[in-house]
Amino acid sequence: MRLVPHPDRVENPNTNMGGKVFTSIFCLFVGFFFYSTNQIGAGVLVSYTTQLVELGAESGNRLQAIIDSPGGPGSAMQTAFNIFIIIFQLALVWGKKS
């Protein structure tokens, strides 16, 4: 039995290049806004946690642990994950269909 790829999955020379370009731009904008929101959230968390710690609130110490964690908002892990998502989306758009 010979498997034949679905016609929609085969690279077509008539593929709308404009669609790929606009989809790529969309992916980049979504990634940028996702990153910006993450950084803003991290800034807000840091500023309010600092105030809570200065007031002596126990919740400030728990929030500080979140800030110090590798996967906390605004961390390098979050940024790397964001970059991974963008690369994955662009690979889906531009990758050769087989």
Side-chain angles (χ1 to χ4, degrees):
M1 181 168 93
R2 187 175 144 220
L3 296 177
V4 179
H6 191 275
D8 292 340
R9 299 285 182 194
V10 177
E11 192 65 33
N12 184 350
N14 299 325
T15 300
N16 184 355
M17 188 58 66
K20 285 186 169 190
V21 170
F22 283 114
T23 301
S24 298
I25 292 169
F26 173 78
C27 291
L28 292 172
F29 273 114
V30 169
F32 171 74
F33 291 125
F34 181 68
Y35 172 79
S36 296
T37 302
N38 193 1
Q39 297 302 312
I40 291 168
V44 170
L45 180 63
V46 167
S47 65
Y48 284 113
T49 300
T50 302
Q51 291 176 10
L52 288 170
V53 168
E54 288 173 357
L55 291 173
E58 288 186 33
S59 59
N61 295 329
R62 290 190 297 270
L63 289 173
Q64 188 63 46
I66 293 172
I67 293 170
D68 296 336
S69 71
S75 68
M77 185 183 291
Q78 291 282 333
T79 302
F81 183 65
N82 187 25
I83 292 169
F84 171 76
I85 291 171
I86 293 170
I87 292 170
F88 180 74
Q89 289 174 331
L90 293 175
L92 289 174
V93 172
W94 292 98
K96 184 167 178 67
K97 310 286 190 268
S98 57

